[in-house]
């Protein structure tokens, strides 16, 4: 299924709900880039059954994704983040409140266009999260299908 072909997602989620969501989007054709700190996602070592390998739990939640490790505490890491923001249609994150602020990125700060910011609600945690609108995705999909 390639309903989301051409959509690029920067996946900053961790543990289970976020990676599961972004994995489903990847299965639907989105190009998902898993963005991790140098220590890696906590689930890399959870329920590990093979020494010195990523756990089955981590690989099940993050298969079909590309990945990058970035130190957001460094100037170079922040620049990598900004460069990726410019190339991605959606940013997914499930940090606690204020984490991106501490890195110097304010919710709603979009280097491309402030008007595209929307907020979604994580029903499990009842917290607002920034979600960029997929403006034009439906129209691009219609054009692709019409061209077939």
């Amino acid at each position: 299924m390639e309903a989301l072909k051409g959509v690029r997602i920067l996946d900053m989620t961790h543990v289970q709900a976020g990676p599961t969501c972004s994995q489903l989007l990847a299965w639907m054709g989105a190009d998902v880039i898993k963005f991790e700190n140098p220590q890696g996602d906590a689930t890399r070592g959870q329920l590990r059954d093979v020494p010195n390998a990523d756990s089955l739990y981590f690989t099940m939640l993050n298969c079909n994704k590309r990945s990058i490790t970035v130190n957001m505490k460094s100037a170079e890491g922040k620049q990598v983040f900004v460069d990726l923001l410019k190339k991605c249609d959606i940013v997914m994150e499930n940090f606690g409140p204020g984490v991106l602020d501490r890195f110097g990125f304010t919710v709603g700060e979009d280097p491309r266009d402030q008007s595209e910011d929307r907020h979604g609600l994580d029903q499990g945690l009842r917290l607002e999260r920034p979600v960029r609108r997929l403006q034009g995705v439906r129209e691009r999909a219609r054009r692709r299908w019409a061209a077939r």
Side-chain angles (χ1 to χ4, degrees):
M1 182 179 350
E2 294 189 354
L4 296 178
K5 185 176 182 177
V7 176
R8 184 169 290 145
I9 299 170
L10 184 60
D11 177 13
M12 301 176 75
T13 64
H14 53 281
V15 186
Q16 188 166 359
T20 300
C21 177
S22 61
Q23 181 184 53
L24 291 171
L25 297 172
W27 285 343
M28 290 190 279
D31 177 16
V32 178
I33 304 168
K34 175 110 175 122
F35 188 94
E36 296 181 72
N37 67 38
Q39 291 76 35
D41 190 311
T43 61
R44 281 187 182 272
Q46 292 177 349
L47 306 172
R48 182 178 284 160
D49 56 342
V50 177
N52 301 317
D54 290 333
S55 69
L56 180 60
Y57 179 55
F58 175 82
T59 56
M60 285 176 27
L61 293 174
N62 293 288
C63 64
N64 202 24
K65 301 177 189 179
R66 297 189 292 155
S67 67
I68 185 170
T69 302
V70 177
N71 181 358
M72 288 283 287
K73 294 179 180 177
S74 72
E76 181 181 317
K78 290 178 183 181
Q79 187 58 52
V80 168
F81 178 63
V82 168
D83 292 344
L84 283 170
L85 284 177
K86 293 176 183 176
K87 296 176 183 177
C88 292
D89 301 298
I90 298 170
V91 176
M92 296 177 62
E93 59 90 15
N94 60 352
F95 298 125
V99 171
L100 288 178
D101 287 332
R102 286 194 300 273
F103 288 126
F105 297 95
T106 304
V107 171
E109 192 175 289
D110 181 351
R112 294 185 309 174
D113 183 356
Q114 291 279 339
S115 68
E116 290 189 23
D117 288 329
R118 294 283 189 246
H119 283 83
L121 183 64
D122 180 331
Q123 292 295 326
L125 298 176
R126 305 263 188 242
L127 297 172
E128 283 191 69
R129 294 285 184 238
V131 180
R132 181 153 317 120
R133 177 176 31 164
L134 286 173
Q135 185 175 25
V137 170
R138 185 183 316 174
E139 188 57 37
R140 288 194 310 265
R142 280 190 196 133
R143 283 191 298 246
R144 277 197 303 272
W145 283 103
R148 290 183 180 196

